């Protein structure tokens, strides 16, 4: 049993902080349109990005993911916010770190990073205004090989192209169409088992965002707020969850993965990256 890092008592906590029990999501899509809601989401997104940048900057050869987790935890608490992964369904750390063939939900450990590793960090926060912020990025530690660089660039490009294509009235499935097409054009696959999600006063809400070609019909509307977080792999998109920790998602064939994630707000005339 891992001991959870302490959080100052003055910091507002999400509902699951004490017992790990996550309330069920609403069965309707929440539209965020008031200035209070949008500013809260912007603040949460900005802080999540700040601590992701911190995690990424620390990913050097010889550094342990557990050290990065500690730094991220302290930085979030210093901003009077709560590290959202901590005790979410019992997750024991304050950031997700997934290395090489680990696709997502990796638990930071004390194995030092090596040059050439592909490290993914998923940094999420819960701020005192009651909103969640969530984003993810990939770092090639030290010197990466050509496949690692191509995988990283393709994943980033797939996300950015999907963002540029959406706005009010565009079908949600457009996102998956673009991401899978970009991935396949470079010989990669998009993981189908995990998806993006609505976000706001809940961590994971409707709508759920698939990163592959699908027939979901949902026209996007002003005020929708969700994440787009493609996970691309160099081999098979099939995955499994580690029996050892019951969290870490890995590729079945050992192929490496990259992931990027942004929070998105659909505006009256387009889209805003939060």
């Amino acid at each position: 049993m891992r001991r959870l890092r302490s959080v100052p008592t003055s910091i507002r906590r999400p509902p699951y902080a004490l017992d790990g029990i996550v309330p069920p999501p609403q069965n309707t899509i929440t539209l965020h349109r008031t200035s209070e809601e949008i500013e809260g989401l912007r603040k949460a997104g900005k802080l999540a990005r700040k601590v992701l940048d911190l995690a990424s900057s620390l990913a050097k050869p010889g550094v342990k993911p557990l050290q990065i987790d500690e730094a991220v935890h302290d930085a979030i608490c210093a901003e009077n916010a709560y590290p959202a992964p901590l005790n979410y369904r019992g997750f024991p750390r304050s950031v997700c770190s997934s290395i090489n063939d680990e696709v997502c939900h990796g638990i930071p450990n004390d194995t030092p990073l090596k040059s050439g590793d592909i490290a993914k960090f998923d940094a999420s926060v819960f701020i005192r205004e009651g909103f969640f912020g969530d984003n993810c990025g990939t770092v090639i530690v030290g010197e990466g090989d050509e496949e690692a660089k191509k995988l990283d660039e393709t994943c980033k490009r797939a996300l950015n192209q999907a963002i540029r294509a959406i706005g009010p009235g565009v079908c949600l499935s457009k996102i998956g169409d673009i991401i899978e097409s970009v991935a396949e054009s470079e010989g990669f696959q998009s993981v189908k088992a995990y998806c993006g999600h609505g976000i706001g006063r809940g961590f994971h809400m409707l709508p759920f965002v698939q990163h592959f070609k699908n027939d979901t019909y949902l026209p996007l509307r002003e005020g929708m707020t969700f994440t787009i977080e493609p996970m691309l792999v160099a081999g098979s998109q099939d995955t499994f969850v580690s029996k050892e920790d019951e969290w870490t998602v890995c590729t079945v064939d050992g192929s490496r993965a990259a992931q990027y994630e942004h929070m998105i707000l659909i505006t009256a005339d387009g889209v805003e990256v939060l």
Side-chain angles (χ1 to χ4, degrees):
M1 179 68 69
R2 298 177 178 88
R3 183 178 178 181
L4 300 180
R5 298 192 189 279
S6 63
V7 176
T9 57
S10 59
I11 290 177
R12 181 176 178 178
R13 286 154 164 74
Y16 55 81
L18 294 179
D19 57 16
I21 299 174
V22 178
Q26 295 179 344
N27 58 8
T28 57
I29 295 174
T30 299
L31 300 180
H32 300 101
R33 289 180 171 173
T34 70
S35 58
E36 177 186 5
E37 291 171 330
I38 293 172
E39 287 307 311
L41 287 163
R42 284 173 177 157
K43 181 178 178 180
K46 182 178 180 180
L47 178 56
R49 179 64 197 213
K50 180 178 179 179
V51 294
L52 173 61
D53 287 344
L54 171 63
S56 299
S57 72
L58 297 174
K60 309 291 184 184
V63 175
K64 301 175 181 179
L66 205 53
Q67 295 173 309
I68 296 175
D69 176 73
E70 180 178 14
V72 168
H73 178 93
D74 291 345
I76 294 173
C77 291
E79 297 281 353
N80 196 30
Y82 183 91
L86 188 64
N87 212 28
Y88 179 90
R89 302 190 191 279
F91 190 83
R93 300 300 182 200
S94 297
V95 68
C96 296
S97 65
S98 307
I99 314 301
N100 295 326
D101 64 319
E102 298 171 352
V103 178
C104 59
H105 303 163
I107 298 175
N109 57 33
D110 59 2
T111 301
L113 295 171
K114 308 183 305 295
S115 183
D117 281 345
I118 302 178
K120 286 79 67 181
F121 298 101
D122 196 336
S124 312
V125 301
F126 178 72
I127 63 173
R128 60 185 175 85
E129 290 83 356
F131 292 95
F132 285 90
D134 186 16
N135 63 175
C136 178
T138 295
V139 178
I140 298 176
V141 180
E143 293 296 324
D145 58 36
E146 289 307 310
E147 180 187 69
K149 294 175 183 177
K150 182 179 177 182
L151 180 63
D152 175 66
E153 187 278 330
T154 303
C155 190
K156 189 185 302 183
R157 177 159 52 90
L159 172 60
N160 290 335
Q161 287 191 17
I163 292 171
R164 288 197 295 268
I166 59 176
V170 176
C171 188
L172 180 68
S173 63
K174 184 74 171 178
I175 294 169
D177 291 345
I178 291 173
I179 288 172
E180 188 165 40
S181 293
V182 172
E184 290 179 340
S185 73
E186 299 294 348
F188 301 130
Q189 292 189 13
S190 179
V191 172
K192 297 182 179 180
Y194 300 90
C195 62
H197 52 87
I199 191 167
R201 294 191 181 275
F203 197 175
H204 299 100
M205 306 165 62
L206 294 176
F208 295 116
V209 182
Q210 295 174 320
H211 304 119
F212 56 92
K213 296 171 185 176
N214 63 88
D215 58 3
T216 300
Y217 179 73
L218 179 66
L220 298 177
R221 298 170 59 193
E222 179 185 358
M224 284 184 176
T225 310
F226 52 85
T227 68
I228 306 176
E229 44 186 296
M231 290 152 269
L232 302 192
V233 294
S236 170
Q237 63 88 23
D238 293 327
T239 61
F240 69 95
V241 178
S242 167
K243 292 182 179 179
E244 181 178 346
D245 62 31
E246 299 182 332
W247 272 105
T248 307
V249 177
C250 303
T251 57
V252 296
D253 59 3
S255 60
R256 296 178 295 178
Q259 182 184 18
Y260 282 93
E261 174 185 13
H262 280 322
M263 283 173 59
I264 302 300
L265 170 67
I266 300 299
T267 64
D269 56 2
V271 63
E272 178 180 344
V273 177
L274 297 169

